[in-house]
Amino acid sequence: MKIIQEIPALKTEIRSYKQQNQSIGFVPTMGFLHEGHISLLEEARKHHDKVVLSIFVNPLQFGPTEDLDRYPRDFKRDEQIANELGVDLLFYPSVEEMYPTTPSMTIHVTQGVNVLCGASRPGHFDGVTTVVMKLFMLVQPDKAYFGQKDAQQVAVITNMVNMFNVPVEIVPCPTIREEDGLAKSSRNVYLSALERLEAPSIYKTLHEAVLLMDEGETNPSRMIQFVQNKLQELPLAEIDYIELLAYPSLHEVDEIKEAIVLAVALKYKKARLIDNVIVNKGE
Amino acid sequence: MKIIQEIPALKTEIRSYKQQNQSIGFVPTMGFLHEGHISLLEEARKHHDKVVLSIFVNPLQFGPTEDLDRYPRDFKRDEQIANELGVDLLFYPSVEEMYPTTPSMTIHVTQGVNVLCGASRPGHFDGVTTVVMKLFMLVQPDKAYFGQKDAQQVAVITNMVNMFNVPVEIVPCPTIREEDGLAKSSRNVYLSALERLEAPSIYKTLHEAVLLMDEGETNPSRMIQFVQNKLQELPLAEIDYIELLAYPSLHEVDEIKEAIVLAVALKYKKARLIDNVIVNKGE
């Protein structure tokens, strides 16, 4: 595995892949790799000649109240995981390499950002799209892999690719779950034993909602009410949001007739959990 | 010459160029081609296997007080010119093709926009960079050609390519001038006979300024004062702005020691003229 920290060296390597007509699968991350990332890398490994992983904690997507310096990092461990998964190229730039000067411009996202988790993180997706655009331009992948767990991120990046006609295919990959259905998350360790017993009900409820939509329910308000009634019964969790939106536009919908995302966030004492399901009625 | 109006057909054509390893030179325009555009197309023709011209009047770069519908158009004439110049592909999309839905995001330029002509056109360069990014992604040119006449546009697009690591080389081409030095412009026809006699003094003054900088002048205020004194002597012109900025960042400078642009705008009765010179002290 090649580890590259500088852009000129990255360009040289990518150019050589292109000259040999090798397809490139790309997994952009902020490092501290977990099972979600691993599933993305495994998926990329199946489909491409070359797998490129980037690890870059992007300051542009952190808000003023969010602590960039406390973001967890463990490069040695990440390197080992990447190596074992057969990553060909690990791009690990410094902040100075990615932003040598104050950014002269950014992407400014106006749609699908004041909903879901984005509602409480103004400007977050401007930072995300800006760095992903840079990484796409540098790595020039055929396909890029993102976890469906962060549905809003996949949606906004899909919208970016469509908006700017970026020649990259976005591959959303299914959320990795525990055997009882709970979405895997590094935050699950902060759940108490009782909270951990309750938490699988989140996905159980979303799954029941999918069945209702499969059976013909098309009214968004009724669906949200259904989920709310179920989640309110949970004694330990506090509901943060329950939203049903067109996917990937993240527009509000009057009727469930095309692809939608049904997403929830719940607060436990020391952990905030998110989960979602995508239903594609148009298919 | 192929004329393509739809994105899927464009992608097919570009893919075939790429498969044959043919280099692509690109000239993006809003049509109504003049001698400036022609010089860009001629330059592209010299250096590439394939020359792509786009004609698209981009609504996103027009302000609310600017009249999009009155922008001059003459496709038949443009087509004929392109044909005669050996253009291989003329991309001529509709607004619906380029923006099938309300844009979900745009590029937002924060540097180099509240100066020169941009100062009176808020949001203009957001629209310019957004459409140029789309066109770059679609055409995937090796090089794109822009006229130095609109120095701010070339600067901002150069900054965009640097900011997002877009794999396209920006080629600024010299301003085309009349024999007496006046920068060619479709607006020159609106000058009265006396104004037309006076107008060559604009470039003459800029040229004298270049000589002073070549001789060692490094003080921006003194340079601007020099140009102002000269242009104030012109009886018919009213000075709109005289600015000296770092190029291409368009930052203000305390000292002329690297590349700078010295740019002026003057108002005559029925025409506003712009001109500029680039001086690269760093070279």
Side-chain angles (χ1 to χ4, degrees), chain A residues 28-137:
Chain A
T29 77
M30 301 216 296
F32 214 71
L33 303 179
H34 54 59
E35 283 162 300
H37 299 119
I38 289 170
S39 75
L40 303 179
L41 290 166
E42 286 173 342
E43 192 60 22
R45 184 68 285 168
K46 279 186 216 161
H47 300 286
H48 300 278
D49 301 315
K50 296 289 180 186
V51 173
V52 179
L53 164 68
S54 68
I55 295 182
F56 178 61
V57 181
N58 174 34
L60 235 56
Q61 70 194 65
F62 286 76
T65 64
E66 297 168 359
D67 199 339
L68 171 65
D69 294 331
R70 280 208 314 216
Y71 194 86
R73 299 164 206 242
D74 188 344
F75 182 71
K76 279 293 147 203
R77 192 176 149 275
D78 289 346
E79 181 187 342
Q80 197 185 328
I81 292 170
N83 226 330
E84 283 167 12
L85 292 171
V87 167
D88 297 285
L89 195 173
L90 169 49
F91 180 51
Y92 178 55
S94 66
V95 172
E96 294 65 36
E97 191 69 13
M98 289 294 276
Y99 304 115
T101 57
T102 305
S104 59
M105 59 193 75
T106 63
I107 294 176
H108 176 52
V109 188
T110 50
Q111 181 188 300
V113 287
N114 297 323
V115 293
L116 308 176
C117 298
S120 55
R121 303 187 76 182
H124 170 68
F125 286 106
D126 291 2
V128 170
T129 49
T130 298
V131 79
V132 171
M133 180 68 97
K134 278 175 74 73
L135 290 167
F136 281 2
M137 296 298 98

Side-chain angles (χ1 to χ4, degrees), chain A residues 165, chain B residues 2-18 24 52 88-93 97 138-140:
Chain A
N165 308 97
Chain B
K2 282 203 180 174
I3 301 175
I4 291 182
Q5 293 193 265
E6 287 168 6
I7 286 173
L10 176 67
K11 284 185 174 170
T12 304
E13 189 71 7
I14 297 295
R15 202 177 303 123
S16 87
Y17 294 172
K18 294 283 173 188
I24 301 174
V52 179
D88 297 285
L89 196 173
L90 168 51
F91 181 50
Y92 178 56
E97 192 69 11
L138 289 166
V139 174
Q140 296 176 48

Side-chain angles (χ1 to χ4, degrees), chain B:
Chain B
M1 180 176 75
K2 282 203 180 174
I3 301 175
I4 291 182
Q5 293 193 265
E6 287 168 6
I7 286 173
L10 176 67
K11 284 185 174 170
T12 304
E13 189 71 7
I14 297 295
R15 202 177 303 123
S16 87
Y17 294 172
K18 294 283 173 188
Q19 278 165 355
Q20 296 165 65
N21 276 315
Q22 290 178 307
S23 87
I24 301 174
F26 180 41
V27 181
T29 78
M30 301 217 296
F32 214 71
L33 303 179
H34 54 59
E35 284 162 300
H37 300 118
I38 290 170
S39 74
L40 303 180
L41 289 165
E42 286 172 342
E43 192 62 20
R45 185 68 284 169
K46 278 186 218 163
H47 300 287
H48 300 278
D49 301 314
K50 297 290 181 185
V51 173
V52 179
L53 164 68
S54 68
I55 295 181
F56 179 61
V57 181
N58 174 35
L60 235 57
Q61 71 193 65
F62 285 77
T65 62
E66 296 169 359
D67 199 340
L68 171 66
D69 294 331
R70 279 207 314 216
Y71 194 87
R73 297 163 207 243
D74 189 344
F75 183 72
K76 278 293 146 204
R77 193 175 148 274
D78 289 346
E79 181 188 340
Q80 196 185 330
I81 292 170
N83 225 331
E84 284 167 11
L85 292 171
V87 168
D88 297 285
L89 196 173
L90 168 51
F91 181 50
Y92 178 56
S94 65
V95 172
E96 293 66 35
E97 192 69 11
M98 289 294 276
Y99 304 115
T101 58
T102 306
S104 59
M105 58 193 76
T106 63
I107 294 175
H108 177 52
V109 188
T110 49
Q111 181 188 300
V113 286
N114 297 323
V115 294
L116 308 175
C117 297
S120 55
R121 303 188 75 182
H124 171 68
F125 286 106
D126 291 1
V128 170
T129 49
T130 298
V131 80
V132 171
M133 180 67 96
K134 279 174 74 72
L135 291 167
F136 281 3
M137 296 297 99
L138 289 166
V139 174
Q140 296 176 48
D142 297 277
K143 299 187 185 186
Y145 295 77
F146 292 88
Q148 191 60 60
K149 172 93 189 299
D150 190 344
Q152 189 170 19
Q153 177 169 275
V154 193
V156 171
I157 289 169
T158 301
N159 292 338
M160 178 187 90
V161 161
N162 293 335
M163 173 63 206
F164 292 106
N165 308 98
V166 184
V168 174
E169 185 183 329
I170 301 304
V171 184
C173 296
T175 300
I176 305 299
R177 300 183 180 282
E178 305 289 351
E179 281 194 14
D180 57 17
L182 177 64
K184 289 208 183 190
S185 163
S186 44
R187 290 161 172 178
N188 292 350
V189 297
Y190 300 118
L191 297 172
S192 72
L194 283 178
E195 287 174 336
R196 179 65 189 79
L197 280 171
E198 181 186 290
S201 299
I202 302 168
Y203 180 63
K204 190 164 166 280
T205 301
L206 291 175
H207 186 67
E208 286 168 7
V210 171
L211 295 179
L212 283 175
M213 288 184 270
D214 284 348
E215 285 164 14
E217 176 62 79
T218 60
N219 185 302
S221 310
R222 276 203 299 268
M223 276 318 317
I224 289 173
Q225 194 60 57
F226 168 82
V227 174
Q228 190 173 330
N229 291 345
K230 288 276 181 177
L231 294 182
Q232 269 172 348
E233 286 171 16
L234 304 179
L236 303 175
E238 181 196 332
I239 298 172
D240 183 353
Y241 65 70
I242 304 167
E243 295 186 52
L244 189 155
L245 301 164
Y247 182 88
S249 74
L250 304 183
H251 282 309
E252 292 201 8
V253 289
D254 296 330
E255 191 189 345
I256 303 166
K257 54 182 178 185
E258 291 181 4
I260 61 96
V261 58
L262 172 59
V264 300
L266 292 104
K267 286 179 185 166
Y268 283 104
K269 214 159 209 170
K270 293 180 182 166
R272 181 171 169 283
L273 304 186
I274 61 171
D275 204 349
N276 69 80
V277 287
I278 307 277
V279 175
N280 197 344
K281 284 273 197 169
E283 266 179 3

